[in-house]
């Protein structure tokens, strides 16, 4: 498998997409990170053509961009772009809650365990894992409802949100998001769809408000070989 840089098997173009998306979702690739075609080709054991094709697909999803000076790089969302992404997720996720049936208890237990892992990551100050889990909760909810189209949409929107979180989210705001998720699961367990929708709406309103209170922080870039050591795509 191409998850291992030492593997003799090369990655496919789609696998490169998945690995880079996983790196973004787990906070291992930062906003503004340059993604060199040559380095990625060597990392994954593929041609620059396959890397370029993967970059073009990610570009169509609004995850990366290209410029003559920098080459391919991960987008750095502006506050306005962040707000547009938040509103897009609000529409998709509230619509999902509104139209779907009640969730089985076993699936609710999975969501509850997910929230527990979020809290552990926050307490451990594991920023990458924290960001990944807070974003993946929403993808997990769509997976439980069994809507593969919404899952794909939310994976893209979640990747953008995590780029925003890298730039703007404080530990205090992460804790509020975790609390929102816990309250949402409790409402779904009571089959109180109206309360769950209310919490979801307030959750996105808080994210929007938090954008006005944060300044961009700078982090050290990721070396390209680290991408090959990420866990499998979820």
């Amino acid at each position: 498998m191409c998850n291992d840089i030492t593997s003799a098997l090369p990655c496919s173009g789609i696998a490169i997409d998945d690995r880079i998306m996983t790196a973004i979702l787990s906070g291992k690739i930062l906003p503004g990170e340059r993604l060199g075609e040559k380095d990625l080709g060597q990392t994954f054991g593929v041609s620059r053509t396959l890397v370029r094709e993967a970059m073009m697909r990610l570009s169509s999803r609004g995850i990366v961009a290209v410029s003559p000076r920098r080459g391919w790089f991960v987008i750095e969302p502006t506050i306005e772009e962040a707000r547009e992404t938040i509103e897009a997720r609000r529409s998709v996720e509230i619509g999902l809650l509104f139209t779907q049936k009640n969730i089985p208890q076993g699936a609710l237990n999975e969501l509850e365990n997910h929230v527990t892992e979020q809290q552990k990551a926050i307490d451990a100050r594991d920023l990458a894992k924290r960001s990944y889990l807070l974003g993946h909760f929403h993808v997990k909810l769509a997976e439980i409802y069994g809507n593969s189209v919404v899952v794909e949409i939310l994976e893209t929107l979640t990747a953008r949100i995590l780029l925003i979180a890298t730039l703007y989210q404080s530990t205090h705001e992460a804790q509020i998001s975790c609390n929102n998720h816990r309250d949402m699961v409790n409402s779904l367990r009571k089959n109180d769809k109206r309360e769950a929708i209310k919490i979801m709406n307030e959750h996105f309103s808080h994210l929007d408000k938090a954008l006005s209170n944060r300044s961009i922080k700078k982090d050290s870039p990721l070396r390209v070989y680290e991408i090959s050591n990420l866990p499998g795509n979820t």
Side-chain angles (χ1 to χ4, degrees):
M1 296 177 64
C2 68
N3 291 355
D4 183 356
I5 193 171
T6 63
S7 171
L9 297 176
C11 285
S12 68
I14 298 299
I16 297 170
D17 296 23
D18 290 343
R19 299 303 294 158
I20 293 173
M21 284 293 291
T22 300
I24 292 170
L25 287 172
S26 61
K28 298 297 185 183
I29 293 182
L30 303 173
E33 183 80 21
R34 185 178 177 277
L35 301 171
E37 291 179 4
K38 180 179 179 181
D39 290 337
L40 287 173
Q42 292 174 347
T43 296
F44 295 118
V46 299
S47 68
R48 293 181 64 171
T49 299
L50 279 180
V51 171
R52 191 175 303 117
E53 290 172 353
M55 292 297 100
M56 290 174 67
R57 286 190 293 271
L58 290 173
S59 176
S60 71
R61 299 169 69 177
I63 303 302
V64 303
V66 65
S67 74
R69 181 176 61 86
R70 297 175 64 184
W72 294 103
F73 61 94
V74 182
I75 63 165
E76 297 178 273
T78 65
I79 288 181
E80 184 57 35
E81 289 168 339
R83 288 201 168 102
E84 289 178 356
T85 302
I86 288 169
E87 287 308 309
R89 275 188 56 182
R90 189 199 302 266
S91 299
V92 171
E93 296 189 47
I94 288 179
L96 183 68
L97 288 174
F98 185 77
T99 59
Q100 298 299 315
K101 298 178 181 179
N102 295 331
I103 300 177
Q105 291 299 310
L108 286 168
N109 291 339
E110 291 181 33
L111 287 175
E112 199 167 69
N113 292 337
H114 199 289
V115 173
T116 298
E117 292 304 309
Q118 293 171 32
Q119 188 62 61
K120 288 179 180 178
I122 292 171
D123 293 341
R125 298 186 180 277
D126 187 335
L127 302 185
K129 188 174 182 180
R130 178 190 87 185
S131 295
Y132 170 76
L133 289 172
L134 289 174
H136 184 260
F137 174 85
H138 298 266
V139 177
K140 180 73 172 178
L141 185 60
E143 289 175 343
I144 285 172
Y145 277 128
N147 192 317
S148 60
V149 175
V150 174
V151 168
E152 184 175 353
I153 291 170
L154 286 181
E155 283 179 342
T156 297
L157 292 176
T158 296
R160 295 191 195 183
I161 286 286
L162 286 176
L163 292 174
I164 295 161
T166 300
L167 292 171
Y168 300 107
Q169 190 179 56
S170 68
T171 299
H172 173 70
E173 289 153 2
Q175 184 63 65
I176 291 175
S177 290
C178 181
N179 293 344
N180 289 159
H181 294 165
R182 185 179 294 107
D183 292 342
M184 202 178 307
V185 174
N186 291 336
S187 295
L188 292 171
R189 194 176 288 282
K190 294 183 293 185
N191 294 328
D192 191 342
K193 186 179 292 187
R194 180 176 296 181
E195 179 66 16
I197 289 172
K198 178 175 179 288
I199 292 168
M200 183 74 82
N201 189 49
E202 291 175 348
H203 177 61
F204 287 116
S205 294
H206 170 76
L207 291 177
D208 182 77
K209 183 179 178 181
L211 290 175
S212 301
N213 301 325
R214 299 293 297 165
S215 59
I216 296 177
K217 68 178 183 179
K218 299 296 184 181
D219 292 291
S220 58
L222 173 78
R223 294 183 182 181
V224 68
Y225 69 80
E226 292 182 72
I227 300 173
S228 63
N229 296 322
L230 292 168
N233 198 38
T234 56

